[in-house]
Amino acid sequence: MEIIVAPTPKHVGEFAAGRIAKVLDAKPNAVLGVATGSSPVPTYEALERMAQQGLDFSQASAFALDEYVGLPEGHPQSYAEVIRRDVTERLGMNPERVHVPRGHADDIPAACEEYERAIATAGGVDIQLLGIGANGHIGFNEPSSSLAGRTRVKTLTPKTRSDNARFFDGDLSLVPTHCITQGIGTILDARIALLVATGEDKASAVQAMVEGPAGAFCPATALQWHRRAIIVVDEAAASQLTQREYYDFVRDNRPDWQR
Ligand code: F6R
């Protein structure tokens, strides 16, 4: 794991955007894995500034990590709409190349299989942007999820539903109970995994992900097995890391060829 501690959420976003831009520079038709929620917002803002300065997303594709099940198509808090507003439109992507699991489908298992096929047909994800839940979930793979799972339906924990009630006017009864999420196995297939986390309430999950024993109780620990995982956190989210000096030393002494 490469652990980067940046001073503020804005710096986290700028660092993460830089890594995505590097992939896109090398491969204009790169396949980007995109996340929703609050954590990636500074990254999307930084990417939008880069797009205004000429970074071209028009040939790139994107696959979202997850979607609620049961919200009507076009619901403003469905991840399809969030991704359309925050990613597709702001970065100037081709909407036909931006994919979100079909949480409103009549046949949900078929929609999950179709999603896995679509990722494979696109050639796999080049760089997957991730957030982390306060309970250690990635995507919506809640604690106890299979570490080898593929895209499927999951039941959200009460903690995740109450954390996300802020997007539904604070009304827990409006937050769906189920979702479609890429599995941990799907996420681990991405060529680069880029996780961003900010704020004190992520500190214990970040510590467990980076330094804890790997296991399904903290699904993000699966990234310890990823061949190229980059963890970008702000000071608050880094506050419980015990080997901080070492991570900073590695960051500051990277050989030129590795930058
Ligand atoms: C979102 C997703 C989730 C979030 C996580 C953190 O697509 O897959 O894993 O990244 O719940 O959410 P925020 O960033 O809102 O704290």
Side-chain angles (χ1 to χ4, degrees):
M1 280 179 165
E2 181 182 350
I3 297 131
I4 306 292
V5 183
T8 66
K10 185 164 185 257
H11 291 93
V12 168
E14 282 167 357
F15 185 92
R19 289 304 176 96
I20 294 170
K22 200 171 159 190
V23 170
L24 205 57
D25 277 342
K27 185 179 174 188
N29 64 347
V31 179
L32 311 177
V34 290
T36 52
S38 306
S39 308
V41 169
T43 305
Y44 295 141
E45 287 170 351
L47 286 173
E48 188 180 8
R49 289 192 290 276
M50 291 176 172
Q52 284 159 357
Q53 286 158 15
L55 184 64
D56 182 12
F57 288 85
S58 65
Q59 302 305 309
S61 310
F63 285 88
L65 278 170
D66 38 25
E67 175 60 290
Y68 293 115
V69 168
L71 292 181
E73 204 171 356
H75 187 290
Q77 290 310 327
S78 68
Y79 286 170
E81 282 298 296
V82 173
I83 293 289
R84 185 181 62 72
R85 290 193 300 264
D86 287 358
V87 179
T88 316
E89 289 183 356
R90 290 168 74 170
L91 306 186
M93 295 191 75
N94 178 347
E96 286 176 15
R97 294 205 178 104
V98 179
H99 310 269
V100 179
R102 294 175 54 244
H104 58 276
D106 290 333
D107 187 342
I108 294 284
C112 294
E113 279 180 33
E114 187 187 295
Y115 202 65
E116 284 280 331
R117 269 198 306 276
I119 295 173
T121 304
V125 171
D126 290 302
I127 183 163
Q128 175 66 59
L129 183 61
L130 299 158
I132 183 171
N135 64 4
H137 72 220
I138 49 173
F140 274 142
N141 297 280
E142 299 282 33
S144 81
S145 290
S146 161
L147 298 182
R150 310 301 305 186
T151 302
R152 70 218 180 291
V153 173
K154 291 296 290 179
T155 308
L156 297 170
T157 59
K159 169 75 178 143
T160 300
R161 290 186 65 235
S162 73
D163 283 350
N164 286 6
R166 68 189 193 278
F167 296 115
F168 293 84
D169 299 325
D171 185 346
L172 188 61
S173 71
L174 298 178
V175 185
T177 52
H178 290 80
C179 62
I180 296 179
T181 180
Q182 289 188 29
I184 304 269
T186 320
I187 293 168
L188 291 180
D189 282 349
R191 287 175 195 98
I192 301 174
L194 174 65
L195 185 142
V196 289
T198 55
E200 186 68 43
D201 61 329
K202 299 294 173 68
S204 105
V206 165
Q207 194 276 334
M209 165 179 67
V210 174
E211 299 178 340
F217 196 65
C218 179
T221 57
L223 294 180
Q224 293 176 14
W225 268 285
H226 195 282
R227 58 202 148 164
R228 188 99 176 74
I230 307 165
I231 313 298
V232 196
V233 293
D234 70 350
E235 288 288 346
S239 59
Q240 292 186 27
L241 291 172
T242 66
Q243 304 298 309
R244 171 70 190 276
E245 263 179 46
Y246 176 64
Y247 309 140
D248 288 354
F249 184 83
V250 174
R251 179 196 61 198
D252 297 340
N253 291 279
R254 200 161 282 283
D256 278 346
W257 54 266
Q258 236 188 21
R259 283 175 203 275

